[in-house]
Amino acid sequence: MTAFNTVRFRVKPGRDQEFIDAHKNIGWPGLKHANIIKTGDHTYCIIAEWPDMETLANARPNMVATLNTFRETLEDLGNGLGVTDAIAGPVVLSPK
C-alpha cells in the first residue's frame, strides 16, 4: 500500500537556496515522487510518496545521508524535536 512521509524544516535566514539545492538530485531508492513546499518565512516541508512502508523504511539511511549534507542550514525546531519533524504512514483513504 502506498505510503507518504513528511518532514518539516526551519532554515536559517539566508540559507534557503542551499536547503533547496541540497534536494535537487535526491536519489532515494524506491522514491516515487517528492515535493518541497514553502510553508512560511524560512519554513519548508518535504512530502514524499513511496510504494509502501517497507520501501520507505529501507530508504531512511539515504534520507539521513541527504540531511547530513545540509544539516548546518537548519534551525532547531524546539520542543525536543531537533532540526526535523518527521512523520510517515500508509495511505488509508485516497478520496480523489
Side-chain angles (χ1 to χ4, degrees):
M1 177 172 287
T2 300
F4 284 85
N5 74 307
T6 63
V7 184
R8 186 170 58 98
F9 307 92
R10 182 181 309 125
V11 178
K12 293 175 182 174
R15 311 282 305 262
D16 295 69
Q17 194 59 52
E18 287 176 74
F19 168 79
I20 292 167
D21 289 345
H23 292 90
K24 285 188 175 176
N25 295 308
I26 55 175
W28 304 328
L31 177 67
K32 290 174 71 174
H33 189 78
N35 286 292
I36 295 178
I37 59 172
K38 185 171 177 74
T39 57
D41 289 338
H42 309 293
T43 59
Y44 298 87
C45 185
I46 187 167
I47 303 168
E49 181 180 0
W50 303 87
D52 51 50
M53 284 300 295
E54 181 178 0
T55 304
L56 186 161
N58 290 339
R60 282 190 180 122
N62 299 87
M63 290 186 274
V64 171
T66 300
L67 170 62
N68 288 338
T69 70
F70 66 88
R71 186 181 294 273
E72 71 282 350
T73 70
L74 302 176
E75 291 185 348
D76 192 291
L77 295 169
N79 297 320
L81 290 172
V83 296
T84 64
D85 181 14
I87 56 173
V91 172
V92 296
L93 177 66
S94 185
K96 183 173 180 177

